[in-house]
Every structure is written in C-alpha cells, then in structure tokens.
Amino acid sequence: LRSGFLGVCSRGLPSDEPEFVFLTPRGGDPILDHGLLGPTYLQALEWEGRRFQRLYQPIRHRAARAISIRAGMAVEALLELLLASLRVLLRNTVLAFILFVQDVNARIAHVVVDLIKVIVKPILLVLIILQELVREAYRRLSGKGGEQEKFEPIEQENNLAQLNRFLD
C-alpha cells in the first residue's frame, strides 16, 4: 500500500477487517517510531479514524457533525463577542457609578463637617449654657444651693495631720 499500512485478513474475504496492521516506520528512529506519540502511531491513528468514519458512519451523519461543529464554533464566537461587549459596558457603567458615588460622598462629608462646625457646635454650646443656667436657677429657687454646698478642695497635709492626731 502507498500509505505504508499492511493488513492481514483472518479468512481472506475482502469484507473482513484486518486483525494485524504492520506499520512502516515514519520517523527513522526506532525509539521514536515505537512510541505512542511518535509520527508512525499518530499517522496510523488518523488513518484508522478516517477508515472508521468511512465504514461505519453514513455521509449524512458526518455532514451533520461537521455542520454542528461549525455552528457550535460560530455560537461560541458570538458568545465571546457578547461577553466582551458586556464586560466593556459594565466596566464603563459601574466605574462611572462608583466614581459618582465617591464624589457625592466626599461632597456630603464636607457639608456635614461644615454643618457641625458652623451650626451644631454653637447650638450645643448654647444648650449646655442654658442647662447650667436652669440648674443654677433651680438651686437658688429651691433653697438647696446655699453657701454650704459649694465645692472646696481638701488639702492633703491637713488630712494627714488630723489622721496622726487621731492615731496618737
């Protein structure tokens, strides 16, 4: 055979499949030729695959398979294109939205800080002063705020002297 494959049939009939296939070396190196990934074995595998398709698969099956593979590749390419365009669209919209939210948050933070400094802080100080004034007025009106309730710091030396006198 010109392909380099020889077949021996068990009964000698042309419809029989060969039981043994003798391969002509393709690589020129015995180690490479006898390896499963060598050129001889790979060429035999391709030949056997084509022969199997010719013998056992009808033409319509092979044509449908080829068409479905091509259609699948087209659908895959279309989905990759759709995914890439969706990725770009989402990246641009989400990035723009995130930048917008950051800008709004920064502006709100400045407004809140300014509001606290200018309005809230003085109002709280006025309320604290008013609370102290009301408390002082209540003490005076109720008579509980006399001279005897004023705070006077205690001197440590006097306490120590009194303790020493007590212990003696």
Side-chain angles (χ1 to χ4, degrees):
L1 296 172
R2 288 181 19 192
S3 65
F5 300 103
L6 300 173
V8 178
C9 299
S10 59
R11 289 179 288 186
L13 298 173
S15 63
D16 285 347
E17 293 187 34
E19 293 177 0
F20 298 99
V21 175
F22 298 97
L23 303 174
T24 305
R26 298 285 182 212
D29 180 12
I31 295 174
L32 184 65
D33 285 335
H34 287 86
L36 291 177
L37 298 177
T40 305
Y41 186 70
L42 287 178
Q43 189 177 14
L45 232 101
E46 290 172 1
W47 176 80
E48 185 63 31
R50 285 192 304 273
R51 186 177 143 289
F52 177 81
Q53 285 180 344
R54 246 188 343 270
L55 291 176
Y56 298 107
Q57 293 180 345
I59 188 84
R60 66 179 181 273
H61 178 74
R62 289 186 303 224
R65 185 170 184 270
I67 289 171
S68 67
I69 287 173
R70 296 251 179 353
M73 290 170 53
V75 167
E76 183 181 4
L78 180 66
L79 287 176
E80 285 178 7
L81 179 66
L82 180 66
L83 182 65
S85 60
L86 213 107
R87 189 176 293 135
V88 168
L89 177 71
L90 284 176
R91 184 179 299 140
N92 291 340
T93 55
V94 169
L95 184 63
F97 179 72
I98 288 172
L99 291 175
F100 171 74
V101 168
Q102 285 179 343
D103 185 50
V104 168
N105 283 343
R107 289 175 190 234
I108 288 174
H110 286 299
V111 168
V112 168
V113 167
D114 291 343
L115 233 128
I116 288 173
K117 285 181 182 177
V118 175
I119 297 173
V120 175
K121 205 171 188 181
I123 289 175
L124 285 176
L125 287 174
V126 167
L127 288 175
I128 290 171
I129 292 171
L130 284 175
Q131 180 189 11
E132 288 297 322
L133 288 173
V134 168
R135 186 179 293 162
E136 186 64 30
Y138 176 74
R139 281 187 198 149
R140 285 188 184 163
L141 291 175
S142 66
K144 293 182 179 179
E147 295 290 326
Q148 67 274 14
E149 288 191 23
K150 286 194 176 180
F151 174 74
E152 294 180 13
I154 301 175
E155 295 180 20
Q156 291 287 348
E157 296 172 33
N158 290 340
N159 288 338
L160 287 176
Q162 288 176 356
L163 183 62
N164 285 333
R165 272 188 269 144
F166 178 74
L167 292 176
D168 288 334

